[in-house]
Amino acid sequence: MKISRKQIRLLIRERFSPDDFKDVYATAQMAHVGQTRRDGSEYFSHPSEVRDIAQSFYPSDQVVQMAALLHDSLEDAPGSTVKSVEEMEEFIMGSIQDPEAGAEVIRVVRALTHEKGGDYTGYVMSLLNDTPALRVKLADMVHNLSDAPRPRQKMKYKSALDAIGAQTGGAPPSGISGEHWEQLYSLVESKQMRLTENELRLIISEEIGRSFSTNADGPIPYWKTVADDVEVNILPIEAGTKYACEIEVPSNPELSSPLRYFSNEEEANLFARQYTEYVKNIITNKEK
């Protein structure tokens, strides 16, 4: 008889001892010793809050609660409080008495570990068939959205939630409580999501700092340097349906374009190419 993943989780849930949570809590604290959040507060306050949020929505899911405490440990601890990912995983395994239960917690934490700066929506969508990992990820979103989020962060989360909603018909994904889903949308659809032009400019400026050439190998995120002294900034505003584009010419500010909006990325890129050519022609003529 084939055992489903849900049945496996139920069996594992019964294998946690009363001391496992205390040990996992201590391990999670160790993973983030000396680390701080953006506002200067102790970093461990974040995974602790995420665990509390997960517990409020899924009180009987111990795997989710333990993974919530550890969800950033494989990203942040190696090279800081431990030497490697493998060493961090050894600490986690040593905190849970039953090996199979420990392996499941580590599996969930691995699923939640992703490359920073990568495709966030794709990463969240990849968790749709992994209920424990998705529960933790969405609990993580709740805390981040409740803790003075930046406009860009709110838009990133809303894009991911919209992508999930498009696949589920707007309903909560399988395994996610309706209350959890509703709270997330109430946080991203607040009045603060109606961004001013200045806020959009701030979001775009946050992207600047990573230079990507159009001739470079690999994907080119959000903004790109199209030609010398011409910077093109393209930022998704709504899950692939609206884009903001701004072109800056640092040495000739009067040639910079105002912030423009497009219904899709192709239109934004076409405008960027045309405007860049226009700027290059002006600069070339001035130099003759």
Side-chain angles (χ1 to χ4, degrees):
M1 180 179 69
K2 186 177 180 180
I3 301 177
S4 68
R5 179 177 285 184
K6 182 177 180 180
Q7 290 172 315
I8 292 173
R9 290 201 304 271
L10 291 174
L11 290 172
I12 288 175
R13 183 183 301 165
E14 297 173 357
R15 294 180 178 176
F16 288 106
S17 76
D19 292 330
D20 284 343
F21 178 79
K22 293 179 182 178
D23 292 341
V24 166
Y25 191 93
T27 296
Q29 279 186 307
M30 176 277 297
H32 298 291
V33 167
Q35 298 173 4
T36 58
R37 284 176 63 77
R38 190 175 67 241
D39 61 2
S41 62
E42 182 184 1
Y43 191 86
F44 183 67
S45 63
H46 170 62
S48 180
E49 289 287 346
V50 173
R51 182 263 171 178
D52 290 345
I53 292 167
Q55 183 185 41
S56 70
F57 291 120
Y58 314 104
S60 62
D61 196 330
Q62 292 177 293
V63 169
V64 164
Q65 292 173 44
M66 293 187 185
L69 285 168
L70 296 159
H71 75 277
D72 283 336
S73 63
L74 297 186
E75 288 183 28
D76 298 342
S80 175
T81 57
V82 297
K83 294 180 180 178
S84 63
V85 169
E86 291 75 19
E87 185 177 16
M88 187 66 238
E89 290 184 353
E90 287 177 7
F91 274 110
I92 295 172
M93 285 297 292
S95 304
I96 300 171
Q97 294 183 28
D98 185 89
E100 290 187 21
E104 173 64 3
V105 171
I106 289 177
R107 184 199 68 76
V108 174
V109 176
R110 284 175 180 165
L112 292 163
T113 304
H114 69 106
E115 182 181 355
K116 293 180 180 179
D119 177 9
Y120 188 78
T121 295
Y123 152 64
V124 175
M125 291 291 288
S126 73
L127 303 178
L128 275 177
N129 294 321
D130 190 339
T131 295
L134 186 61
R135 285 177 171 180
V136 177
K137 183 69 253 176
L138 297 186
D140 176 47
M141 283 188 184
V142 167
H143 184 242
N144 285 333
L145 288 167
S146 304
D147 188 27
R150 294 178 177 177
R152 177 173 171 264
Q153 187 177 33
K154 292 187 73 171
M155 288 198 301
K156 179 178 73 172
Y157 286 178
K158 187 174 188 303
S159 293
L161 294 175
D162 285 345
I164 293 175
Q167 187 160 321
T168 63
S174 176
I176 302 302
S177 77
E179 292 81 6
H180 191 175
W181 190 243
E182 288 175 10
Q183 183 173 3
L184 277 167
Y185 261 102
S186 71
L187 288 167
V188 297
E189 292 186 336
S190 66
K191 292 182 180 179
Q192 294 179 13
M193 275 301 293
R194 298 170 186 172
L195 302 177
T196 65
E197 185 169 310
N198 285 338
E199 287 173 323
L200 283 173
R201 287 180 183 275
L202 175 62
I203 292 168
I204 289 174
S205 70
E206 288 178 354
E207 290 297 322
I208 300 175
R210 296 177 296 162
S211 180
F212 297 88
S213 167
T214 53
N215 295 321
D217 294 331
I220 304 171
Y222 303 154
W223 76 279
K224 60 202 78 174
T225 299
V226 173
D228 291 344
D229 199 38
V230 179
E231 294 175 352
V232 177
N233 313 305
I234 298 176
L235 185 81
I237 301 302
E238 298 173 1
T241 61
K242 187 176 181 182
Y243 288 77
C245 179
E246 182 181 47
I247 298 177
E248 297 179 323
V249 187
S251 65
N252 296 271
E254 71 278 4
L255 295 180
S256 298
S257 79
L259 197 66
R260 294 281 299 273
Y261 301 94
F262 301 90
S263 59
N264 57 63
E265 189 174 15
E266 288 72 24
E267 290 181 4
N269 281 322
L270 176 61
F271 169 74
R273 288 194 298 271
Q274 292 175 339
Y275 197 92
T276 299
E277 191 64 30
Y278 163 72
V279 170
K280 287 171 66 178
N281 287 336
I282 291 178
I283 293 175
T284 300
N285 290 332
K286 282 183 177 181
E287 291 176 348
K288 288 181 179 179

